[in-house]
Amino acid sequence: MDKSIRLDLDEKERMSRIAKALSAETRIDIIRLLYGKSYNINEIAEQLKLPQSSAATHVKVLEEAGLIETELVPAVRGSMKVCRRAADSIEFLMKTDLEEDAEIIHMPIGNYVDYYVEPTCGIVSEKGYIDEEDEPRCFYNPARTGAKLLWFGKGYVEYRFSNHLLTNRQLKGMEISMELCSEDHEYNLEYPSDITLWINGLEAGTWTCPSDFGGRRGRLNPSWWPDKNTQFGVLKTWRFTKEGTFLDEAPAGPLPIEAYHLESSGFISVKLGIKPDARHAGGINLFGSSFGDYQQDIRMKLVF
């Protein structure tokens, strides 16, 4: 499946990282080299006749831009970093939300209104753990509103967004984005999870995350967070239009935006969880601002 990156001018930080990554011919050569194949850093250095240290530096820049993915795998001595392409295409939209009639709502990940979770589970702020780890009751702690990362092995969390912005306006589309990955007790690159989103009780698509990501530190993680723990996720976007429901650019379901009845009550319910009959019931890590790779919480965009 084609893996695309789609950005507009409001995503300045990520666009700048990608522009920086593509500003050096050597890094473009690395991306070309990784077409359809995976190489470790030593192999990249050998293929492109680079010092190993230079190859590692270029790989780090590409990884931070989200253009390649790396994985630590066992080697004869310790481990080695294997690299592969993370995107097949990049689309820069030369527009901003200001150029369309759109509103953005940011929901802190600790502001859920309902939940059911089973261990492994926990919540942390920038400064440390909120309550005890692997105790579902910790999700009731009032300090949860300061959460920057939460995780659970089974269950769900539900958020409610005010729909007052829909009053007397014609809604054209909606987007919901968040940074996610699977959840094992430590990071585990071979641990898939079927993560499902529901809008007003209707299933809006499932993403099978391949890993509980680690092996490098999340770009925003505080220094106290252990290297052995989950480090970062993938930024996923559910899109709702008159044509149907989409997960990133791929169809996720046939329901058009009207089917979710976003104006039927005083809020829009956004529920994230693992279905009881999920094939890959690998839990969820949900990243807020100051954790993982993306400086955002749950982001809802309404286009009129």
Side-chain angles (χ1 to χ4, degrees):
M1 181 181 294
D2 181 75
K3 294 180 289 186
S4 301
I5 295 174
R6 188 171 184 265
L7 302 170
D8 61 35
L9 295 175
D10 289 308
E11 298 173 271
K12 295 183 290 185
E13 182 181 348
R14 193 176 182 202
M15 190 176 282
S16 295
R17 286 200 301 266
I18 291 175
K20 175 185 175 182
L22 296 176
S23 66
E25 291 186 7
T26 299
R27 292 195 281 273
I28 294 174
D29 289 338
I30 292 174
I31 294 173
R32 286 168 56 91
L33 182 66
L34 295 176
Y35 181 75
K37 295 183 180 180
S38 299
Y39 290 99
N40 64 42
I41 290 179
N42 288 341
E43 291 169 334
I44 291 173
E46 181 180 347
Q47 291 276 344
L48 299 180
K49 297 180 172 54
L50 296 171
Q52 184 179 349
S53 58
S54 296
T57 299
H58 287 303
V59 164
K60 182 178 180 182
V61 173
L62 290 167
E63 186 179 18
E64 289 178 346
L67 298 179
I68 68 172
E69 299 171 339
T70 63
E71 178 181 354
L72 288 176
V73 301
V76 176
R77 296 181 180 178
S79 60
M80 63 180 177
K81 182 177 282 191
V82 175
C83 310
R84 59 179 177 270
R85 280 174 42 164
D88 298 307
S89 62
I90 303 171
E91 182 181 4
F92 291 119
L93 304 177
M94 304 303 288
K95 67 179 185 67
T96 74
D97 290 330
L98 300 177
E99 296 171 358
E100 60 184 358
D101 187 5
E103 302 277 1
I104 300 217
I105 307 171
H106 299 278
M107 178 69 73
I109 65 167
N111 282 17
Y112 47 84
V113 297
D114 190 21
Y115 79 90
Y116 170 79
V117 300
E118 294 183 15
T120 55
C121 60
I123 315 175
V124 295
S125 68
E126 289 181 79
K127 297 181 179 180
Y129 283 83
I130 297 174
D131 216 313
E132 296 182 67
E133 190 175 7
D134 291 339
E135 284 289 351
R137 65 172 180 256
C138 77
F139 278 65
Y140 281 122
N141 192 308
R144 71 181 188 272
T145 56
K148 299 299 181 182
L149 172 65
L150 64 83
W151 63 94
F152 51 90
K154 294 181 180 180
Y156 66 86
V157 284
E158 181 190 357
Y159 302 84
R160 292 180 180 177
F161 290 74
S162 171
N163 62 3
H164 75 280
L165 293 169
L166 306 184
T167 304
N168 298 323
R169 301 172 81 177
Q170 184 176 358
L171 187 66
K172 176 182 176 182
M174 179 174 73
E175 297 180 1
I176 297 174
S177 66
M178 62 194 84
E179 184 177 356
L180 299 163
C181 76
S182 307
E183 161 54 20
D184 200 358
H185 65 288
E186 295 176 356
Y187 83 81
N188 184 344
L189 300 179
E190 301 295 332
Y191 202 74
S193 185
D194 296 334
I195 299 174
T196 299
L197 186 77
W198 292 266
I199 301 296
N200 284 351
L202 297 176
E203 189 172 327
T206 297
W207 172 53
T208 300
C209 177
S211 303
D212 181 348
F213 292 109
R216 68 159 173 86
R217 291 194 65 78
R219 286 188 281 273
L220 302 173
N221 293 354
S223 58
W224 63 266
W225 185 246
D227 290 346
K228 65 182 178 65
N229 288 0
T230 304
Q231 295 295 321
F232 58 93
V234 178
L235 190 65
K236 304 301 293 183
T237 301
W238 277 262
R239 292 186 171 90
F240 306 85
T241 71
K242 294 182 181 299
E243 288 71 41
T245 302
F246 300 84
L247 180 49
D248 295 329
E249 304 305 318
L255 293 182
I257 190 168
E258 295 88 351
Y260 294 96
H261 301 291
L262 303 179
E263 301 178 36
S264 63
S265 66
F267 58 84
I268 301 170
S269 168
V270 176
K271 180 178 170 183
L272 185 73
I274 307 297
K275 294 163 65 174
D277 60 349
R279 179 183 177 189
H280 304 106
I284 295 176
N285 274 274
L286 174 58
F287 298 80
S289 58
S290 306
F291 253 92
D293 281 351
Y294 299 94
Q295 188 65 262
Q296 72 164 68
D297 291 285
I298 301 173
R299 181 180 185 265
M300 174 182 285
K301 178 179 176 182
L302 301 170
V303 182
F304 300 94

